[in-house]
Amino acid sequence: MLAHERAALEGIRALYGRPVAYTGAGLTDETIIAIRSDTRAVPHEGFAGRPNGLSFEIFRDDFPQEPRKGNLIVEEDGSRWSVIDRNEADDIDSWILSVEEAPAP
């Protein structure tokens, strides 16, 4: 990634990112920055009734290990999310982590 591209991504992260507590991928309740995305799921193969999808975009550099299913994300308001899928986004040097509501502790 070129320096100006990295600088642009850091600007977007600074504008839209919010602190979350992350547990998993070598972290234990560590505060990192994530961009939350709540988007309508695209109907796939006739499943038009699918719910909206919630995901978090997090820079790869924030993780000492790869994120996995079951990792925990806790937002500032106390909302708890469990990772159910992950996608590596090479073009933005990030992980896109799809989540579902996690049970209360």
Side-chain angles (χ1 to χ4, degrees), residues 72-89:
L72 179 67
I73 298 171
V74 180
E75 295 182 275
E76 288 183 303
D77 69 359
S79 298
R80 298 168 49 85
W81 306 102
S82 179
V83 174
I84 57 173
D85 195 16
R86 66 184 187 155
N87 290 297
E88 207 167 359

Side-chain angles (χ1 to χ4, degrees), residues 5-40:
E5 294 171 325
R6 180 69 176 194
L9 286 173
E10 288 174 356
I12 292 168
R13 184 179 187 209
L15 182 62
Y16 295 106
R18 300 290 177 261
V20 298
Y22 197 95
T23 298
L27 303 173
T28 303
D29 200 30
E30 295 288 331
T31 299
I32 60 175
I33 300 299
I35 298 174
R36 178 182 163 143
S37 179
D38 188 359
T39 57
R40 180 173 300 278

Side-chain angles (χ1 to χ4, degrees), residues 57-100:
E57 174 188 313
I58 302 173
F59 271 158
R60 276 191 286 223
D61 291 349
D62 289 345
F63 294 117
Q65 301 169 7
E66 290 186 8
R68 301 263 183 238
K69 184 176 180 177
N71 288 178
L72 179 67
I73 298 171
V74 180
E75 295 182 275
E76 288 183 303
D77 69 359
S79 298
R80 298 168 49 85
W81 306 102
S82 179
V83 174
I84 57 173
D85 195 16
R86 66 184 187 155
N87 290 297
E88 207 167 359
D90 292 331
D91 56 338
I92 56 173
D93 201 23
S94 297
W95 287 100
I96 307 299
L97 304 175
S98 298
V99 297
E100 65 183 5

